[in-house]
Amino acid sequence: MSALQDFHNRLAKSAKHQAKWAKRVGTEAYRIYDRDIPQYPVAVDVYGTRAHVAEYDTGWQQSDEEHAAWVAEVRATVAEVLGMEPKTIAFKLRRRQKGDFQYSRTGFHSKDFAVHEQGRKFWVNLDEYLDTGLFLDHRPTRKRVGEEAAGKRFLNLFAYTGSFSVYAATGGASSSVTVDLSNTYLDWAKRNFELNGVDLQRHQLVRADVFRYLETAIDEGQLFDLIVMDPPSFSNSAKMQDILDVQRDHVALVHSCLKLLMPGGVLYFSNNLRGFTLDASLVPLCRDISAQSVPEDFRNRKIHQCFRFQV
């Protein structure tokens, strides 16, 4: 059997199984393939009636013509298996890089469209940015936040498009603050709020450097019952006063968050840095919930690490 036929068969089997599973858990956005076969080092995610394919940078040496032919082959196979038009399959080369990549545009343009997830709706865009607007690996933690948010004051740091805030607000949070450095993504978060009928008077969007926001919030004596902090692994954005390195900076960030928690309050701290090690001083203060926070549709069980702190 050729590698291409093996890829086709693996994709078809997984797509059928995962579609049934996704229906049971109530999501239109889910992963069906992740580097299962060495010759096809891609992640394939379904978003409603479209699909998103991200190629991993393997260091393979290919000519532009060879790579273009391989991309066309992958796109055609995904389209055939999923019964979609090839033009609806977004394809990206995901190079390992440092910096403010989350906010980078690809140069391609397409319309946003909404997908449903566990009773909520989110705008996504598969073409214009390196990321789609919804991190699928955080689905279980979003569900936790939604279930724990009733009557709580919620803080979302490095909020991206505000999906955690939407879960908190629709889960009955009394108020929320959503903090990010990008106007683009804060506007996206606002549109996600509106898409879910959230009352924006009780849910604040704040454009700020998280380090500076935390300093000010502590000085002002602000308090929250529930905090989510999901920083990028590294950022040297010109908008920030400091360079963010999550391995180096996570102790200070976590302690700042703990100062903002009411007694009994909870902090969820997550990150996607490969090889991340939680500082030994923090280990007694939290529970590692990574095994439960990585969803079933992710074969890569080390896609992120997630920790639950309670004061």
Side-chain angles (χ1 to χ4, degrees):
M1 182 185 296
S2 70
L4 178 59
Q5 188 62 49
D6 197 14
F7 174 57
H8 181 285
N9 292 348
R10 182 71 62 91
L11 197 63
K13 182 178 179 181
S14 178
K16 185 177 180 180
H17 171 77
Q18 296 295 67
K20 292 178 181 177
W21 171 85
K23 189 173 183 179
R24 286 200 306 273
V25 301
T27 183
E28 294 181 323
Y30 54 96
R31 180 154 293 186
I32 62 171
Y33 176 93
D34 193 358
R35 292 192 284 190
D36 298 40
I37 297 166
Q39 294 91 331
Y40 293 89
V42 296
V44 182
D45 298 323
V46 171
Y47 286 83
T49 58
R50 293 195 59 192
H52 181 271
V53 182
E55 177 189 2
Y56 291 93
D57 184 8
T58 59
W60 289 353
Q61 298 299 313
Q62 289 179 304
S63 69
D64 290 346
E65 292 79 10
E66 288 171 334
H67 185 256
W70 181 83
V71 169
E73 180 180 89
V74 171
R75 182 180 269 129
T77 303
V78 173
E80 180 186 347
V81 167
L82 296 178
M84 299 177 180
E85 292 291 327
K87 65 182 180 181
T88 68
I89 312 297
F91 192 102
K92 294 173 194 159
L93 172 59
R94 184 175 292 277
R95 289 189 167 89
R96 294 179 67 183
Q97 55 187 302
K98 291 186 175 182
D100 207 17
F101 67 90
Q102 166 173 312
Y103 303 119
S104 300
R105 290 181 179 270
T106 62
F108 296 99
H109 298 288
S110 68
K111 290 183 177 181
D112 296 352
F113 63 98
V115 293
H116 289 76
E117 181 189 88
Q118 299 174 151
R120 284 83 171 178
K121 295 178 284 187
F122 297 96
W123 292 112
V124 295
N125 188 303
L126 305 192
D127 301 290
E128 292 200 16
Y129 304 89
L130 291 181
D131 290 307
T132 65
L134 188 65
F135 292 127
L136 305 187
D137 61 305
H138 286 305
R139 192 188 311 110
T141 308
R142 286 194 285 271
K143 188 170 186 284
R144 276 178 177 258
V145 167
E147 291 169 347
E148 296 176 14
K152 304 286 181 64
R153 288 163 292 184
F154 176 68
L155 174 63
N156 187 3
L157 300 169
F158 303 100
Y160 189 41
T161 61
S163 58
F164 279 112
S165 301
V166 168
Y167 268 80
T170 55
S174 59
S175 63
S176 72
V177 180
T178 299
V179 183
D180 200 273
L181 198 55
S182 166
N183 281 326
T184 297
Y185 289 109
L186 285 176
D187 177 66
W188 200 324
K190 181 182 178 184
R191 292 188 294 120
N192 279 335
F193 275 142
E194 293 168 345
L195 187 62
N196 289 275
V198 172
D199 177 6
L200 288 167
Q201 291 190 330
R202 293 189 295 116
H203 300 281
Q204 186 181 4
L205 297 161
V206 177
R207 180 181 179 272
D209 176 335
V210 167
F211 289 99
R212 304 289 81 77
Y213 175 84
L214 287 169
E215 288 177 2
T216 302
I218 291 169
D219 288 345
E220 293 177 352
Q222 294 187 39
L223 291 172
F224 298 89
D225 305 293
L226 183 60
I227 301 175
V228 168
M229 180 171 61
D230 180 32
S233 300
F234 181 92
S235 179
N236 58 0
S237 169
K239 301 171 187 174
M240 293 177 64
Q241 290 187 24
D242 305 303
I243 292 173
L244 168 66
D245 180 323
V246 73
Q247 183 64 68
R248 181 194 66 202
D249 297 327
H250 76 277
V251 176
L253 286 167
V254 166
H255 278 298
S256 292
C257 288
L258 295 180
K259 290 177 182 178
L260 294 176
L261 281 177
M262 287 285 290
V266 170
L267 163 68
Y268 287 105
F269 164 56
S270 181
N271 73 85
N272 293 73
L273 176 65
R274 288 167 66 176
F276 174 81
T277 302
L278 188 71
D279 190 85
S281 67
L282 296 177
V283 172
L285 305 179
C286 70
R287 187 160 56 94
D288 185 344
I289 62 167
S290 305
Q292 296 81 45
S293 68
V294 176
E296 292 179 42
D297 48 325
F298 275 70
R299 193 170 70 92
N300 176 11
R301 306 305 296 173
K302 296 182 179 181
I303 186 71
H304 69 240
Q305 294 185 55
C306 189
F307 306 91
R308 188 180 193 269
F309 295 79
Q310 186 163 13
V311 297

